[in-house]
Amino acid sequence: MVECSCNTSNEELAKQLDKIIDPYRDKPSGLIQVLTKAQNLVGYLPKWAQVQVAEGLGVSLQDVYGVITFYAFFSLIPRGRHKISVCAGTACYVKGTKMVTKALRDLLDLRPGQTTPDSRFTLEIVRCIGACGLAPAMIIDGKDVHGRLEPELIPELLEQYE
Amino acid sequence: MKSLEELAKIRESRREALKIRQGVPSKTEKAHIMMCGGAGCISSKCLDVVEAMKKALNKNGIADQVQIVLTGCMGPCDMGPVAIIYPDATFYRRLKPKDAETIVEEHIMKGNKIRRLMYRAPGSKEPTPKVDDIDLFAKQKKVVLRNNFYIDPTSIEDYIANDGYVALGKALTEMKPEDIIEEVKKSGLRGRGGAGFSTGMKWTFTAAAKGTPKYVVCNGDEGDPGAFMDRSVLEGDPHSIIEGMAICGRAIGAEHGYIYVRAEYPLAIERLDLALQKARENGLLGQNIFSSGFNFDIEIRIGAGAFVCGEETALLTSIEGKRGEPRPRPPFPANEGVWGKPTVLNNVETWANIPEIIRKGAEAYSSVGTEKSKGTKVFALAGRINNTGIIEVPMGTTLREIVYEIGGGIPRKKAFKAVQTGGPSGGCIPAEHLDTPVDYDSLGALGAIMGSGGMIVLDEDTCMVDIAKFFLDFVVDESCGKCSPCRIGTKRMYEILDNISKGKGKEGDIELLEELATTIKATALCGLGQTAPNPVLSTIRYFRHEYEEHIRDRKCTCNVCEFEE
């Protein structure tokens, strides 16, 4: 199992996770909310966190794993410091998603689903971020939308993400 | 607030304060700057413009006489960042931080409007200063997006000033539950999520269903690629959804609601959360609303990225914290929804229509639209078109009007090829049907669907085999895997399309695709699977020659497909 690589110890994280779980204790319906917050805390969902969530909410570990693997948002493996989500919605596809992914591949040697060796970037392809008017677009770290992308602009754009 | 009088008091005082946005100059304020805060303008860096505006106002010492408001999406995303300056309703586009000072010092302080920042109609040398005169907006009719130009989505007072919560007050104090349902039925409103089922009928079934408690659910899991209508409503006018849902709660006897929003829309979640808090603080959610004895509250549920959760039974399962897999219907959600209890589930846009129907009456509402499709429809216009963004038009507007008059036609003088509606469940409509009125039944007859409102324009450079493959790839990826027609069938269809697109197609492939499509449509478990073959069927129907060309001549006229040697 891959352990968390950041500075906070697992014990410290486990304590914080307990706080997240508290309002949902023995309430299986809170599973998706708790997992969302847990992933935001830890960065991904390692087995120890899954076990803790399962016990806290009173659901089986199997159900926790089932939900994690069903929804695209959840990850079982560590990800880079910055998540690049390239939009592959229809408008972006028509206007050049392929060109954007190729540029990222050339620049970072990164393919969808992969993380750079220095853990700086993780690349993923997402389905429509709702910025169709600005196609082709990508979103970094779930909040910064970059639209009207052109391959030449990408290197400079990535510089602000250390 | 406990009474309609209190609501009226807030409305009147706030309306007075906002008169400037109706074009009435104010004695105390010089201007209201409405900056579009839709996702498009935010990614075009409108927040930097806002900062520059604030600086310029401070520098000139008039910060207390000018309000800057971040509104919901105004629509024309490709012109962003855009802004409207009241009281003169001047529309500025493509704003840069450096324009802020000019606007403040010239326009606001001296009354000299900035011509270079104004919109110019294609082919016209003269700019169009006023927002209402701009061709792009003049053809539209705003019902669902009624507030997006005028209100601050984070202010409940702004919403109230524009007749917000009047409909809820009326529903709670003047109408019986069955009157509310009757009014919605009479309005002819059909579900805006895509299928077009009568909203009033849905409510009737749920009201009549046995079992308590009942639930009201809003489907904000806008997963169709190429669609961002719901997002603009959630971000721009969250109270309209809350009000619509509360009215339904009264009508069917429910006290609890859920709004299911996809995690990809963080701003929508933030604004919705704030709106719920404000509604609670003002007694518009909670116990004994308007002293009527009616209790209602709403919880947000966040989707974690699964397209199938837009399907109603899958969404309801996901609300319960489980894998969002669909289940067979019947039982329909009206009888067995969340937690197995009777549930009304409507789409975001449907909910935003409800307050208007109750406030103005079914008759006024249904005076817009066609015989069987009443009201307006919001579309997300994108792809190879000049004016991309959000538009709202009366049902029955033709595709030609949308593409050429509102959308401004195709860029770089390219020829129009088709418009794709309904995302992975819809189809492509070719040029010969451009004069089709947009309504549920006309689009259905052409093999497309209304869908939730994504409208992607394709030009002569778009290969239709490639587009069909794109949608199938999407479906294969998003199929939940529960039923074999969808899980295996769409995969086989994808493989055939992939071969065709690589020059490895065989005679008989088209027929095989059609056969598989028919079987999947007839046997898949849920709406996702049943409609998945539509993009393939509709492209075969109208562009069969392109498939044949790929197979027989190993040729892609549009030069999109790469053939293997």
Side-chain angles (χ1 to χ4, degrees), chain A residues 91 95 130-135 148, chain B residues 77-78 228 381-382 388-389:
Chain A
K95 286 185 134 176
C132 312
L134 304 167
R148 300 189 189 100
Chain B
C77 304
D78 62 304
F228 50 112
L381 204 53
T388 58

Side-chain angles (χ1 to χ4, degrees), chain B residues 329 486 517 520-534:
Chain B
R329 298 178 304 181
C486 179
I520 296 169
K521 275 174 87 98
T523 55
L525 173 61
C526 81
L528 187 156
Q530 288 158 12
T531 57
N534 284 352

Side-chain angles (χ1 to χ4, degrees), chain A residues 33 66 71-72 94 129 134, chain B residues 43 231 301 305 322-323 384:
Chain A
Q33 276 103 304
Y71 294 98
V94 172
I129 55 173
L134 304 167
Chain B
S43 43
R231 168 183 205 152
R301 285 292 155 104
K322 301 177 189 149
R323 288 165 68 95
R384 306 276 175 93

